């Protein structure tokens, strides 16, 4: 796994990070067969070789509700996921 400059990420991955994680500090970006953007604190976002989002690793950190809401609004996740989180939050 090689550490690469942020600029080497595919545009699609950079757009995703800038839209949903603009307030996060990117500690490093790595590439093996896929890309991984690691934030300060250890959370990360993984992208395939085309720069398409594949997973988010919280590494014990909570993903803020604002990001979950944006994902639901943009149909990145099912709207039902947002509803289940809201229900659990209100218990």
């Amino acid at each position: 796994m090689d550490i690469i400059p942020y600029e080497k990420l595919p545009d699609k991955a950079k757009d995703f990070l800038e839209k949903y994680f603009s307030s996060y500090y990117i500690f490093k970006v790595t590439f093996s067969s896929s890309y991984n953007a690691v934030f300060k604190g250890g959370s990360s976002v993984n992208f395939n070789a085309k720069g398409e989002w594949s997973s988010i690793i919280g590494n014990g950190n909570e993903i803020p509700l604002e990001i979950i809401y944006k994902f639901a609004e943009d149909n990145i996740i099912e709207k039902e996921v947002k509803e289940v989180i809201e229900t659990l939050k209100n218990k």
Side-chain angles (χ1 to χ4, degrees), residues 16-76:
F16 183 90
L17 291 170
E18 289 166 12
K19 182 170 186 175
Y20 299 106
F21 295 93
S22 63
S23 64
Y24 282 58
Y25 174 79
I26 297 176
F27 176 69
K28 68 180 176 180
V29 175
T30 62
F31 179 77
S32 179
S33 59
S34 60
Y35 296 94
N36 180 266
V38 181
F39 302 115
K40 181 179 177 183
S43 299
S44 62
V45 179
N46 298 311
F47 301 92
N48 66 20
K50 295 179 183 178
E52 298 164 331
W53 167 75
S54 59
S55 66
I56 297 172
I57 309 295
N59 197 29
N61 300 311
E62 193 172 287
I63 305 297
L65 286 176
E66 299 82 42
I67 293 174
I68 301 298
Y69 294 158
K70 284 183 190 177
F71 284 175
E73 288 170 14
D74 293 345
N75 294 315
I76 290 176

